Each structure stands twice: as C-alpha cells, then as structure tokens.
Amino acid sequence: AFQADDDDDDDYDDIDFGPGQGSGGKSSLSGNVAKRVENLEKVLSSSRRVGGSMQVAAVALSIVEETQHMVGCTKAEVYILDGATQTMGKCDPETGVITTYKSLQHSGIPGTVSQKGRAINVADAYQHASFDASEDQATGFKTTSLLAVPVPDTKGRPVAVIVACNKKEASKFDRSDEEMMVVFAGQIGVSLSHAMASETLS
C-alpha cells in the first residue's frame, strides 16, 4: 500500500518498504542508520500513545498531537473517509468531532491523497492543483509546506488522511518526515479503523 507510483507528488525517490533494494528503480530507505533508528523509536512511541480509545474523536486528537511532535509542524489535521458515500469529513482540532462531509472531489489535497493512495509532500501548497485555500481564507492561517499521507485499514484501503502543515525551522518536510509519517499512518490505521467500526455499530 505504501509503494508510491513514479509520479508521486514530492521531490524524493520513491519509497520502497520491501526488503533490500529491488531492480525496479526504487531506492531503499535513506539516511544514517542511527537517525533512522531514532525516528523509528519516535514513531513507535507515538503509535502506542494513539492506540487504546474506541472513540474516533479521541483517536483523532491523539493523531494531531503526535503528528505535530513527530515532524515538528505548526498544525496537523485528520480527515475521515466515508467509502460508502465517497465523502470526507475533517476532525475538529479542538474536539476531534467530525465536521460536515464533502465529496472527495471537493476535499482538496486530502481528497486527492485518499483517491490515489499515496503521499503528497510540497514546499508550497498553493502551487498544487488540488489545494483548497478556502480554509486559509476563513481562518487567516497561511499554509506553506504541506505533507499529507493516507491512513490504511487492515486491508490497505485508505480510511483517513493525516495532513501536517508548515514545517518548523525548514522550508519543507524532508524525506525522513515523509518516511515517519507513512510508517505512523500504517501503525495507527488499525486503531482508527476499530474506533470507526465501534461508533458505526453503536
């Protein structure tokens, strides 16, 4: 689910989470081994803190907090996908409650990520064709760099999208940020899926 296509929306080589280096033009995960181990420990710690709750709002708030901590961003957002209606709702950053659902075609970059199933990492969100500036206009927040990744269920199907906005102390999110977010999304997908299923049945 996390082998990005050759035309994914970033400046980095495609990420290959399979063993070793294949011959298909993919490159293995980059970076110093010690740094990668440190990043993995950070991801696993954040993943453990997210798990446990059976309420979508609580899980969403934990995801927001851990995302900001992991990749050092000013703002993080969680969008929940309704596969049956092909719509997407945003979790309120203060309460975690899902707000009004919109069609995927009108959900900006998160909608594009959920449809394509791969990350988008850009230095200037306003230069991306899918970016929706209406929220910036309504809140006064200015989005610059942006990293959005799909959150898969146990079958690898996107159930949500995590968006990190405005990397602190850097002009954009780097390769290690992208790797951490993709692994984090894979780890917390089960917790989020279980919470969504529990609320559907209740």
Side-chain angles (χ1 to χ4, degrees), residues 3 14-29:
Q3 291 184 347
D14 289 339
I15 301 173
D16 183 3
F17 287 91
Q21 294 190 15
S23 58
K26 303 286 185 180
S27 63
S28 63
L29 294 180

Side-chain angles (χ1 to χ4, degrees), residues 9-190:
D9 294 300
D10 60 36
D11 296 329
Y12 306 111
D13 293 335
D14 289 339
I15 301 173
D16 183 3
F17 287 91
Q21 294 190 15
S23 58
K26 303 286 185 180
S27 63
S28 63
L29 294 180
S30 60
N32 178 272
V33 172
K35 179 63 176 177
R36 288 171 59 195
V37 170
E38 179 185 339
N39 288 345
L40 179 58
E41 290 175 345
K42 187 185 297 186
V43 170
L44 293 177
S45 295
S46 291
S47 300
R48 285 194 293 269
R49 285 190 287 268
V50 168
S53 177
M54 295 302 289
Q55 296 182 328
V56 173
V59 174
L61 288 177
S62 294
I63 292 172
V64 167
E65 181 178 352
E66 295 304 325
T67 297
Q68 290 176 306
H69 171 71
M70 268 195 311
V71 299
C73 61
T74 302
K75 181 173 76 170
E77 302 170 330
V78 177
Y79 294 81
I80 303 297
L81 174 66
D82 186 334
T85 60
Q86 289 295 288
T87 56
M88 175 171 280
K90 180 184 176 183
C91 295
D92 185 275
E94 300 296 330
T95 65
V97 175
I98 304 172
T99 56
T100 305
Y101 280 87
K102 297 181 181 179
S103 67
L104 296 183
Q105 291 77 12
H106 295 90
S107 296
I109 287 179
T112 299
V113 168
S114 68
Q115 289 178 304
K116 294 186 176 182
R118 62 174 184 259
I120 289 178
N121 184 3
V122 292
D124 184 354
Y126 281 79
Q127 297 302 310
H128 196 281
S130 298
F131 181 67
D132 180 3
S134 61
E135 185 173 347
D136 277 9
Q137 295 168 355
T139 63
F141 181 86
K142 171 71 174 185
T143 303
T144 53
S145 55
L146 181 148
L147 171 58
V149 298
V151 178
D153 62 12
T154 55
K155 296 182 179 179
R157 300 170 301 194
V159 293
V161 173
I162 307 172
V163 180
C165 301
N166 296 13
K167 173 74 174 179
K168 296 179 181 178
E169 302 178 359
S171 60
K172 69 175 296 183
F173 296 94
D174 62 21
R175 175 59 178 263
S176 65
D177 294 323
E178 190 172 326
E179 290 173 357
M180 284 194 294
M181 285 292 290
V182 169
V183 175
F184 177 64
Q187 290 288 314
I188 57 91
V190 173

